[in-house]
């Protein structure tokens, strides 16, 4: 199974505001910078994301890491997640898988879904931490239930192949279907490749589809709560 580590950079809602606001981008960036320099963690996290994406400033991954570190050290989960990703891929900082997992875990324990997925993938692949597929599945579930599509796919694939969990084709069908609805490309391929009628009866497939609808509603609710909490 190919694991999915999220490389997406997450920032505060200010990121979207900068791109769409009616005032000048420069003024908006300076307002964020001013708050960041005063020690505001959310502003520091947002400024790091602006530097990472090159929005309103010249792209500078080292500067992004510098601001994320300031916010991460204050406990900002989004900055901790982004800092972990920087370390895992050596973006703006020397690659260090152990340090990546250190920051991802901090963010994951605060409830950040992308970090939870990435901690799961670290356990799955033994990157920066001892391989443990049972723990991988546990972290994938936490992220999946908050609407993270990569985690939904990863969890579904683990149920499909019996990795870290007992093989359960019905649960695989449910989580892969949820990931597919959420636009995960690999979930589309997997759902098409597997002949589910070889594994599940018609009644099991019908009940699984009903549970997919229920799961999507619950996941959507939790995702909105998560995104509001982390200002995504």
């Amino acid at each position: 199974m190919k694991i999915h580590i999220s490389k997406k950079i997450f920032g505060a809602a200010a990121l979207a505001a900068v791109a769409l606001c009616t005032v000048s981008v420069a003024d908006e960036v300076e307002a964020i910078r001013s708050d960041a320099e005063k020690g505001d963690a959310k502003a520091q996290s947002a400024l790091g994301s602006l530097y990472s994406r090159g929005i309103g400033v010249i792209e500078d991954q080292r500067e992004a890491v510098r601001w994320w570190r300031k916010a991460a050290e204050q406990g900002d989960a989004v900055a901790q997640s982004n800092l972990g990703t920087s370390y895992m891929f050596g973006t703006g900082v020397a690659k260090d898988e152990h340090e990546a997992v250190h920051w991802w875990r901090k963010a994951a324990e605060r409830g950040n879904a992308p970090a939870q997925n990435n901690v799961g993938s670290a356990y799955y692949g033994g990157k920066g931490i001892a391989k443990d597929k049972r723990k991988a599945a546990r972290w994938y579930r936490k992220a999946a239930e908050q609407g993270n599509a990569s985690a939904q796919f990863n969890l579904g694939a683990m149920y499909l192949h019996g990795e870290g969990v007992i093989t359960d084709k019905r649960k695989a069908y449910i989580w892969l279907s949820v990931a597919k609805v959420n636009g995960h490309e690999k979930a589309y391929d997997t759902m098409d490749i597997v002949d589910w009628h070889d594994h599940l009866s018609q009644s099991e497939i019908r009940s699984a589809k009903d549970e997919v609808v229920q799961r999507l509603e619950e996941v959507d609710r939790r995702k909105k709560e998560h995104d509001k909490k982390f200002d995504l």
Side-chain angles (χ1 to χ4, degrees):
M1 182 180 105
K2 184 177 181 180
I3 62 174
H4 285 256
I5 295 177
S6 175
K7 296 183 182 180
K8 184 176 181 181
I9 296 302
F10 294 84
L15 244 181
V18 168
L20 301 173
C21 63
T22 55
V23 299
S24 77
V25 172
D27 288 345
E28 192 71 16
V29 172
E30 287 311 306
I32 294 171
R33 186 187 303 279
S34 177
D35 288 342
E37 290 174 346
K38 292 174 184 176
D40 183 274
K42 282 192 175 296
Q44 291 170 342
S45 180
L47 188 56
S49 295
L50 294 176
Y51 272 110
S52 177
R53 300 284 295 277
I55 297 176
V57 294
I58 296 173
E59 182 180 329
D60 188 330
Q61 299 301 328
R62 288 188 178 182
E63 192 70 0
V65 166
R66 186 172 78 87
W67 285 108
W68 282 333
R69 189 182 305 281
K70 289 178 182 291
E73 289 173 349
Q74 292 195 72
D76 185 273
V78 173
Q80 290 169 341
S81 180
N82 289 338
L83 186 57
T85 301
S86 294
Y87 272 111
M88 181 56 71
F89 295 101
T91 306
V93 68
K95 183 174 180 177
D96 187 329
E97 293 181 353
H98 294 283
E99 192 72 4
V101 174
H102 166 76
W103 287 110
W104 278 344
R105 184 184 291 278
K106 282 182 175 293
E109 290 173 348
R110 294 177 68 86
N112 183 272
Q116 290 171 341
N117 175 66
N118 288 344
V119 169
S121 292
Y123 272 119
Y124 184 91
K127 289 183 174 292
I129 199 166
K131 184 181 292 189
D132 188 327
K133 291 186 178 180
R134 292 179 66 183
K135 289 182 179 179
R138 189 156 65 243
W139 282 107
Y140 284 149
R141 180 178 298 280
K142 289 177 182 291
E145 289 177 346
Q146 294 193 88
N148 185 278
S150 289
Q152 290 162 354
F153 170 80
N154 290 335
L155 183 60
M158 293 189 85
Y159 274 118
L160 183 64
H161 300 295
E163 295 185 281
V165 293
I166 296 172
T167 302
D168 189 323
K169 295 299 195 294
R170 186 175 181 277
K171 289 181 179 179
Y173 182 97
I174 291 167
W175 281 113
L176 290 171
S177 294
V178 171
K180 179 179 176 179
V181 171
N182 284 332
H184 196 283
E185 291 184 9
K186 288 289 289 183
Y188 279 88
D189 296 338
T190 304
M191 289 298 294
D192 288 341
I193 290 170
V194 177
D195 189 344
W196 296 101
H197 294 285
D198 285 348
H199 306 289
L200 302 171
S201 67
Q202 289 286 359
S203 62
E204 286 175 324
I205 290 176
R206 283 196 299 270
S207 69
K209 287 181 177 179
D210 289 340
E211 189 167 334
V212 168
V213 173
Q214 296 171 9
R215 179 68 69 177
L216 283 167
E217 291 174 350
E218 176 65 14
V219 164
D220 184 60
R221 182 185 65 79
R222 292 192 182 190
K223 186 176 188 301
K224 287 177 180 178
E225 291 176 354
H226 173 270
D227 289 355
K228 182 178 180 180
K229 178 180 178 181
F230 291 102
D231 198 20
L232 296 176

